[in-house]
Each structure stands twice: as C-alpha cells, then as structure tokens.
Amino acid sequence: MSDLLKNIIRFVLFILVQVFVLAKVPPLHRFIVPYLYFLFILWLPYNTPRAGLTLLGFLFGLSLDFFTKTPGLHAAACTLIAYIRPFIIGILMPKEATEMSYSEPSITSMGFMPFAVYAFILTFIHHTYLVFLEWLQVGSIWFFFGKVLASTAISLLLIFITEMLFQRKGRYRTNVA
Amino acid sequence: MRNIFLFIARFSNLLFFLLLQVLALSMLFRYNKFHQAAYMNAANEVTGKFFLRYNNIETYFSLRKENDQLRTQNADLLNKLATNFSAPDSNMQVVQDTFRLQEQEQYRKFLFLPARVIGNAVNEQNNFITLHRGSNQGVAINMAVVGASGIIGKVVDVSPNMSVVMSLLHRKNSVVALLKKGSGFGEVVWDGKDPRYVSLNNIPRTVKVAKGDTVITSPYSDIFPPGQIVGFVEEVVDDKATSSYNIKVKTGTDFFSVQHAFVVKNLQKAEMDSLLNRIKRD
C-alpha cells in the first residue's frame, strides 16, 4: 500500500476513533481526557516536507475541531507538534539513519527508548498547549498541572497499547522504491 | 529588498507555522462571539451526518432508560388531566372545556418542539450537543433546550437540518435559577470539572437550603420556560468572600446518556424584544 493511501486511511480512522470511541468513554477522573488522535502526526513518514507536515497538522486538528465544535483548539496544538516534530527527530536520531533506512517513526525504526522519549515530548507539548488554551479563562494552577500530567500518562499508555496491537513493519526504504 | 526575500526563504517554515497558529487561535477566540461562521455551518451539516449514523446504533443501548423516563413524564402529564379530578358535590361536574383551550392558544408563550440528540460531549471544557433539527424545522438561535428530566442548554448555531446547543456543561454558560423552596435567585455556572455537577452561585445566606432541594429556572427568563428543573442541591458551600452560598447542584439531566430533547420556542419573544429595543433607543 502506498504511503499516501495508508496515511489517508489513518487520518480518517484516528478522527473517528477519537470522536466515537475515546470521547464516549465515561470520564474516569476530572483530570483525565483520553487523547490518542495526535498519534497520526507522530506516525507520518520521515520524508514529509516541513511545510506539508505543518499544514497537515493544522488540517488534521481542524477536522477533529469540527466534531468537537471548538474550531482552532486542536488545530493549534496539532500544528505546534507537527512543526516541532522534525527538531525532536533531529535530536534523537542521526540524520543518515532516518533518511536512508526506514520510512516512518516507530519502535523498530528508532529503538524503544528514543521512540518513548519522542512520544513523551510531543504528547506533553500537545497536552500542555491544549489544556493551556482551554484553561485561559479561569481555573487553578493545580488543575492545570494535574490535567496535563494525568492526560499525558493516559495518552502514553494508549500510544503503547496501540503500538503493541498494530505492530508496524519497519519497512526498509530501498533506493529502488 | 533582496535581504527580505532571503529572510522569507530562510524562515519560510517558521513563518508558515506562525501563520497557521494565528489562524487557529483567531478561529478559537472568535468562535465564541460569532457562532454563525459560514464554514462552521457547512461543517455542522457534515459532522452531523456522522453523528446521526453513530446515534442510530447508540440509541438502542439506552432504550430502557429512555422508556422509563418517558413513562414517568407521561404519567406526570396524565395526572394533570382535568378528568382525574372530581369534586364530591353531585351538582358539580368536571367537563373538559376544549373551547377554552383553543381560546388560550393565542396566548401561548412557549412551544415545545421534539428533537433527537445525535451528538454529545462531556469531556471537554466547553461541551456542545448536536440536535437533528435545524432552521428548516423551526429552530433558531437562542432557543432553550430542555430534556425530560431537566434543562439541557440553549441553541447557539443552526444549519438547515442540524443545530448546535451550548450545554449546561459549558464554561460560558449561565442560567438564572432559583430554589423551589425559599426562592433565592442565583446563577447556574459550570466550573469545567465534574460533568455531573454544576454550581448555583450568589444565593443569599438568608435563604434556608437543604440537600435534595429542587433548583428550577427563573420565571423572568425570556429563553427558558419557568419552573423547569435544573437539578437538585447536593452540597451547600459558604462563600466567605461574598457572604453568600455557592451551591453544588446535581444536574437533573444525565448528560452522559441524553437522547431526547425539546427545543423551546418563545412565541412572544419578538414582541418583548422590540419593546426592549424601543426603550434602549430612547
């Protein structure tokens, strides 16, 4: 399956899962909101152009916003992590290794620890920005930190469960293809 | 000039990112003021279709609960029928006076329109509910939405066949309400924390209030019909700063499983509004 088709399917699936499965889960605690949808951005191929990545983040977030009736909220957070992603990958991995061998970030292509750090940093940034935008009006500082940390923990748990359920073959990018 | 182009070329990604951020943030902060943005209208119709599909399946899971609720509501209404009352005096007979009902129709203030809830959220800070009834079916912005067991919110956006309701669980939501016993007026708001509870603020300390007391909508609202249940008192908190009570209220509507709602149309609103406008102009 081509990367384009695969990512289009993922785009739709992640939105639908977030809106019709995760958002329907009864709240466990007021700090916990199960977010998984942004994993789409974490999974995009390495060779996506920078501007395209940012634009895709914006469009992806906006599509979720249309379902939650909060235009701009998730779009802002997704644009931010999509923009930051290349820097994090640059720090965590030597350039040649990412460009040449595998097509997209995964445990197989990055190794467990680098991928965990990559997922943690982007999840944390996403949640911090999202809760910050939501919280701007009123609220206490403890509510803010509690919500960011608890939601980050839950999201990471969900990300690793997803990684285990859908083990992506770390496909080698050959020069021929 | 050349330097400007070089600068743009060098930071094109950053500039593009900042542009999208500004766009997203302006959408976010403007949506609260201008609910009827054109693109949102089209988007509502599309997301509404998805919600409708999902809801077609979801309704089956809460049928029993909905049936129970409707049965209680029906029983309440049946008990109000005139034929249920009979005075002991033999020369007095209760007849249903249909002529009178028709006579009264011209004075009707509130009209209840049934609507199906197809989209619902409780996890966000600002929650919206989607109804499968829109401007083609007589829904307009600022109409009240009530459920079988309590108020739900008010309409903030309509498209031809769907409408978006700002639920009680919205940070900008505020409804004037009072205690059924004791009648202290206060404001119902949500703090964005627990979707089961809202709070009723600014109730004067002179009002006697106990756990379980009913909180109802105010008779002076031109959106909500008077006497609709908001919820029940759960806990009374003494607010030291303003010397009034802040009351934690358990919502009458169970927002986790709301399936049916009534959009309430105020038929006398136009007249009231034009009167108020006349005062403002002078």
Side-chain angles (χ1 to χ4, degrees):
Chain A
M1 207 189 314
S2 77
D3 270 355
L4 179 67
L5 182 60
K6 196 162 73 183
N7 278 301
I8 290 173
I9 295 174
R10 273 184 197 162
F11 189 113
V12 176
L13 276 183
F14 271 119
I15 295 277
L16 291 181
V17 165
Q18 183 67 43
V19 174
F20 292 114
V21 180
L22 293 174
K24 301 281 176 187
V25 176
L28 301 165
H29 187 266
R30 62 197 171 87
F31 284 167
I32 297 173
V33 184
Y35 279 123
L36 181 67
Y37 74 105
F38 61 91
L39 189 56
F40 169 76
I41 294 166
L42 270 62
W43 277 5
L44 284 172
Y46 286 121
N47 61 357
T48 321
R50 288 278 299 277
L53 200 61
T54 320
L55 181 65
L56 208 50
F58 178 77
L59 291 179
F60 183 66
L62 198 61
S63 325
L64 184 67
D65 282 331
F66 285 143
F67 282 98
T68 57
K69 319 285 178 217
T70 49
L73 180 66
H74 297 92
C78 283
T79 320
L80 182 67
I81 60 166
Y83 178 69
I84 290 176
R85 199 189 93 132
F87 298 109
I88 309 283
I89 290 177
I91 294 167
L92 288 172
M93 297 195 70
K95 184 112 175 119
E96 298 79 37
T98 56
E99 296 276 298
M100 298 315 289
S101 49
Y102 292 100
S103 65
E104 57 186 42
S106 68
I107 293 178
T108 10
S109 81
M110 295 176 85
F112 183 77
M113 265 328 275
F115 184 78
V117 173
Y118 166 72
F120 172 76
I121 293 176
L122 288 185
T123 310
F124 185 73
I125 292 173
H126 172 270
H127 286 14
T128 310
Y129 195 42
L130 194 71
V131 177
F132 173 71
L133 285 181
E134 273 189 338
W135 170 83
L136 273 178
Q137 300 129 17
V138 251
S140 73
I141 197 86
W142 293 115
F143 179 72
F144 176 72
F145 283 122
K147 194 164 180 184
V148 169
L149 292 178
S151 298
T152 306
I154 289 295
S155 289
L156 282 178
L157 183 71
L158 286 172
I159 287 175
F160 284 105
I161 290 172
T162 317
E163 287 286 346
M164 279 173 217
L165 283 177
F166 306 97
Q167 282 195 346
R168 289 165 299 141
K169 302 274 181 301
R171 186 166 59 85
Y172 260 130
R173 254 164 50 89
T174 52
N175 289 335
V176 187
Chain B
M1 196 64 194
R2 190 164 157 272
N3 282 335
I4 294 174
F5 283 124
L6 276 178
F7 177 83
I8 291 174
R10 175 127 191 255
F11 292 102
S12 65
N13 279 321
L14 180 65
L15 290 176
F16 185 55
F17 163 70
L18 289 178
L19 178 80
L20 289 180
Q21 277 293 316
V22 170
L23 188 63
L25 293 181
S26 69
M27 271 177 173
L28 180 61
F29 294 120
R30 280 179 32 167
Y31 185 58
N32 294 327
K33 284 174 206 142
F34 308 102
H35 286 288
Q36 318 96 305
Y39 64 92
M40 269 318 269
N41 215 331
N44 283 343
E45 285 285 306
V46 176
T47 54
K49 292 237 163 63
F50 279 99
F51 281 131
L52 187 62
R53 284 254 163 122
Y54 180 86
N55 185 261
N56 281 339
I57 301 162
E58 197 190 19
T59 35
Y60 287 106
F61 294 105
S62 54
L63 274 185
R64 180 185 293 265
K65 201 172 172 190
E66 283 296 323
N67 268 336
D68 283 347
Q69 245 175 32
L70 289 177
R71 212 160 45 208
T72 347
Q73 204 186 13
N74 270 340
D76 266 2
L77 293 174
L78 282 173
N79 283 331
K80 283 179 186 153
L81 284 181
T83 47
N84 288 333
F85 302 93
S86 154
D89 196 344
S90 59
N91 61 20
M92 187 174 150
Q93 196 186 3
V94 177
V95 267
Q96 209 165 4
D97 193 348
T98 51
F99 176 70
R100 175 123 184 92
L101 279 176
Q102 276 169 9
E103 272 288 282
Q104 279 196 337
E105 192 58 36
Q106 57 175 313
Y107 302 118
R108 177 185 282 282
K109 186 171 179 190
F110 293 106
L111 181 67
F112 285 63
L113 312 166
R116 210 168 113 193
V117 175
I118 53 170
N120 184 16
V122 290
N123 283 333
E124 307 284 328
Q125 292 285 296
N126 294 319
N127 294 295
F128 294 94
I129 287 173
T130 313
L131 299 179
H132 195 206
R133 187 176 187 122
S135 55
N136 286 354
Q137 292 83 34
V139 180
I141 287 173
N142 258 339
M143 285 183 179
V145 179
V146 302
S149 51
I151 66 167
I152 292 177
K154 65 181 177 197
V155 178
V156 289
D157 201 355
V158 285
S159 61
N161 298 304
M162 318 274 173
S163 49
V164 176
V165 178
M166 176 200 270
S167 92
L168 269 190
L169 310 179
H170 189 293
R171 296 276 284 271
K172 292 231 166 68
N173 160 71
S174 104
V175 177
V176 178
L178 69 156
L179 290 156
K180 203 172 176 184
K181 279 188 233 163
S183 75
F185 277 92
E187 194 186 22
V188 175
V189 291
W190 190 52
D191 56 4
K193 289 173 186 168
D194 194 331
R196 285 170 303 175
Y197 300 102
V198 291
S199 49
L200 176 64
N201 293 342
N202 303 331
I203 290 287
R205 280 211 198 132
T206 46
V207 174
K208 279 212 175 80
V209 52
K211 192 184 165 186
D213 280 1
T214 315
V215 179
I216 55 173
T217 51
S218 116
Y220 305 131
S221 167
D222 57 347
I223 296 175
F224 284 100
Q228 291 288 321
I229 292 172
V230 177
F232 306 96
V233 175
E234 183 75 19
E235 195 188 339
V236 182
V237 186
D238 205 341
D239 186 359
K240 294 276 186 317
T242 60
S243 75
S244 58
Y245 287 138
N246 285 349
I247 298 171
K248 191 176 173 189
V249 177
K250 186 165 175 38
T251 56
T253 308
D254 178 4
F255 281 94
F256 294 99
S257 66
V258 57
Q259 290 289 343
H260 295 280
F262 298 95
V263 178
V264 186
K265 188 174 185 175
N266 183 350
L267 299 172
Q268 297 173 1
K269 192 169 191 307
E271 191 181 334
M272 190 72 199
D273 282 350
S274 68
L275 190 61
L276 284 174
N277 277 338
R278 210 156 65 198
I279 295 169
K280 272 177 204 151
R281 232 183 299 136
D282 291 341

